[in-house]
Amino acid sequence: LLPRVAVSPRLDPSRCWPRRDADHLLMSGQQMAELEAELFASGLPVEALMEKAALAVSRRLLALRDRGGAVRIPAEGVVVLVGPGHNGGDGLVVARELHLAGIPVRLWSPFQRRKPLTDQHWRHARWLDIPVLVDPPPAEGSELWIDALFGNGQTRAPGPEIEALLEARNCASRGLVAIDVPTGLCGDSGALLGGTAARADLTLCIGLWKRGLVQDLALRW
């Protein structure tokens, strides 16, 4: 799952972390949160980790523009579904990068309050004049949807408005890319948290694989 990395003989291999075994390649939401906490305790700013993760997602999405395949960025561009937490912040960084690359981008968020870092990216996106949808995007629209609503650590159903929108999008069979974990899906068990979830054509995990995504329950999503 991961490329081999050359390690200097002066480094102690036992100190390389995380190890490349099943306990570290497949992680629970809590384990991933603990990993991030260790990184932040080491001095890595939260802002730096968000940029690093979201820029990697942006590069992957920009590559879709330049190649054929089942998942692609159409000429109509993308709609980014923005959540209130750091998954929403990831989505806003992705929106910024796609916008600066000349791709039409629109934002939709049903939340009035956001975590401070996510709100900073929201304000910057508005400064860049990235359009914001007041009403939910039409489910049959041809844009690629980027699901940045909740991501890792979801523990409850996303609510009737979001579930109805996701179910309509699923029925329309239009493209959707999920950042980290599709909305409405438990990243630990792969089970639905409510009545439905985002059906992702592509899920781009942040950091390491979430163990719920490889369970049979999750495969259709």
Side-chain angles (χ1 to χ4, degrees), residues 55-79:
L55 288 175
V57 172
S58 302
R59 288 192 294 269
R60 182 66 181 269
L61 291 172
L62 287 169
L64 297 177
R65 179 184 60 174
D66 302 324
R67 68 177 68 155
V71 182
R72 63 184 184 84
I73 296 179
E76 293 80 5
V78 304
V79 173

Side-chain angles (χ1 to χ4, degrees), residues 36 46 49-51 53-54 57 80-95 107-109 111 114-119 121-122 146-154 176-185 198 203-207 210:
E36 290 180 347
V46 178
L49 185 61
M50 181 177 288
E51 284 285 318
V57 172
V80 182
L81 312 181
V82 180
H86 285 174
N87 191 251
D90 291 337
L92 288 166
V93 174
V94 170
L107 306 174
W108 178 74
S109 179
F111 305 98
R114 304 173 187 85
K115 284 188 174 183
L117 180 55
T118 300
D119 195 57
H121 284 295
W122 179 267
I146 299 175
D147 173 14
L149 287 169
F150 297 111
N152 185 41
Q154 298 177 59
L176 184 144
V177 172
I179 297 180
D180 213 9
V181 177
T183 290
L185 202 67
T203 298
L204 299 174
C205 286
I206 302 297
K210 311 310 179 290

